[in-house]
Amino acid sequence: EDQVTQSPEALRLQEGESSSLNCSYTVSGLRGLFWYRQDPGKGPEFLFTLYSAGEEKEKERLKATLTKKESFLHITAPKPEDSATYLCAVLRGATNKLIFGTGTLLAVQP
Amino acid sequence: DADVTQTPRNRITKTGKRIMLECSQTKGHDRMYWYRQDPGLGLRLIYYSFDVKDINKGEISDGYSVSRQAQAKFSLSLESAIPNQTALYFCATSDIRDVDTQYFGPGTRLTVL
């Protein structure tokens, strides 16, 4: 069964304290792995798509990496405005169905 | 994303009532999706549509129906609402030229009493 597991469930950082969020997956024929950011009361906002092991994508303080079993979202020198829930999702084979993890709630304190 | 709008944003209804959630998009995307989000369960796909004549069930379609009135409009109906349909509902769209990337609306918070 296709599954996406995110850890930790919640993470509290001090401003400037770098860390990583994990997304591990089991899926038949990974077509793509996606990272989204979700602010309270809003819809998920697309961040990155990764298609193959070894691929990396960067945007401001965020960097996403992909291996054959997991993806990491690295946050470098975070700021309070980076506080949000970060969602990971996978797309399997020829389907158009995203399978989401339950997210990591990140809080960055000033 | 202002390009994808959902109405209403909040709705409280009673068990047994029929309710419709509406989604409109100005992105010009062909594909539209309905998800629900529950604490601890993540986002789950209810229905999706690749064009006006194409409707497909997702993983949790029981108790729901949809209508694709136009390329830009995709409605979700609960024929007889029940309390365990209380959730956040999101509409999403994707473009045939980049089918993998989905863009989400702001969501509708639905409470069924």
Side-chain angles (χ1 to χ4, degrees), chain A residues 46-62:
Chain A
F46 172 73
L47 292 173
F48 303 110
T49 308
L50 301 166
Y51 287 106
S52 57
E55 188 175 1
E56 298 182 351
K57 294 273 181 75
E58 286 189 67
K59 180 180 180 180
E60 297 181 352
R61 295 177 292 281
L62 301 177

Side-chain angles (χ1 to χ4, degrees), chain A residues 31 34 36 38 51 91 96, chain B residues 31 37 50 90 100 102 105:
Chain A
R31 183 164 131 194
F34 302 79
Y36 284 84
Q38 186 173 21
Y51 287 106
L91 195 60
N96 282 89
Chain B
R31 303 182 174 202
Q37 187 176 39
F50 287 171
F90 291 100
D100 294 344
Q102 296 184 20

Side-chain angles (χ1 to χ4, degrees), chain A residues 78-97:
Chain A
K79 298 181 177 181
E81 53 261 44
D82 294 322
S83 298
T85 296
Y86 290 87
L87 302 173
C88 171
V90 298
L91 195 60
R92 175 172 64 87
T95 74
N96 282 89
K97 302 176 184 180

Side-chain angles (χ1 to χ4, degrees), chain A:
Chain A
E1 182 182 346
D2 299 331
Q3 195 166 11
V4 178
T5 303
Q6 291 188 246
S7 62
E9 290 185 7
L11 180 63
R12 181 172 294 180
L13 300 173
Q14 292 296 123
E15 185 172 2
E17 179 186 2
S18 301
S19 188
S20 297
L21 311 182
N22 178 264
C23 172
S24 63
Y25 62 89
T26 53
V27 63
S28 304
L30 178 73
R31 183 164 131 194
L33 185 140
F34 302 79
W35 283 98
Y36 284 84
R37 168 190 171 130
Q38 186 173 21
D39 292 297
K42 296 189 177 182
E45 175 189 349
F46 172 73
L47 292 173
F48 303 110
T49 308
L50 301 166
Y51 287 106
S52 57
E55 188 175 1
E56 298 182 351
K57 294 273 181 75
E58 286 189 67
K59 180 180 180 180
E60 297 181 352
R61 295 177 292 281
L62 301 177
K63 179 180 177 180
T65 62
L66 180 66
T67 72
K68 289 186 177 180
K69 295 183 178 180
E70 58 192 349
S71 176
F72 291 94
L73 184 65
H74 306 278
I75 303 176
T76 302
K79 298 181 177 181
E81 53 261 44
D82 294 322
S83 298
T85 296
Y86 290 87
L87 302 173
C88 171
V90 298
L91 195 60
R92 175 172 64 87
T95 74
N96 282 89
K97 302 176 184 180
L98 282 174
I99 302 166
F100 281 86
T102 53
T104 293
L105 176 61
L106 175 66
V108 182
Q109 297 181 315

Side-chain angles (χ1 to χ4, degrees), chain B residues 39-56:
Chain B
L41 291 178
L43 283 149
R44 291 179 293 165
L45 183 64
I46 306 172
Y47 270 96
Y48 60 104
S49 169
F50 287 171
D51 63 42
V52 175
K53 296 180 181 179
D54 177 79
I55 301 289
N56 304 280

